Amino acid sequence: MKTYFANAIADGTVYIATITDFGNGTCSEFISKSGEWGGITLAEKDFPTANLGSASKQVYARSILASAIFKDAKTKEIQWLA
């Protein structure tokens, strides 16, 4: 099992996307943001690893996080964290 992350801040809120490759042909994506009382789940999905084709899972994590931030915060001003 391998896990890939992307972290960012937008409008003072911390967002994180996690891609988990279970090594059995299945991946899971999870996107959340920090909230006043803890984390808030924005999206969660399991899918066949083959759906990613040759795409890098790290790049995919960053891509889905950017999309989620744009939808949630309505901003393109994203500060990416290492």
Side-chain angles (χ1 to χ4, degrees), residues 15-58:
Y15 292 84
I16 184 168
T18 305
I19 304 297
T20 304
D21 183 348
F22 294 105
N24 64 358
T26 303
C27 279
S28 177
E29 69 181 49
F30 181 80
I31 305 169
S32 64
K33 70 176 184 176
S34 63
E36 197 171 312
W37 296 291
I40 298 168
T41 301
L42 298 176
E44 187 173 15
K45 179 181 178 184
D46 295 334
F47 57 92
T49 306
N51 286 3
L52 291 176
S54 63
S56 159
K57 292 171 188 79
Q58 185 66 47

Side-chain angles (χ1 to χ4, degrees), residues 45-78:
K45 179 181 178 184
D46 295 334
F47 57 92
T49 306
N51 286 3
L52 291 176
S54 63
S56 159
K57 292 171 188 79
Q58 185 66 47
V59 171
Y60 179 72
R62 191 173 171 124
S63 175
I64 63 172
L65 185 59
S67 177
I69 290 171
F70 182 71
K71 288 176 186 175
D72 183 66
K74 310 287 190 258
T75 184
K76 293 182 183 177
E77 298 298 319
I78 299 172

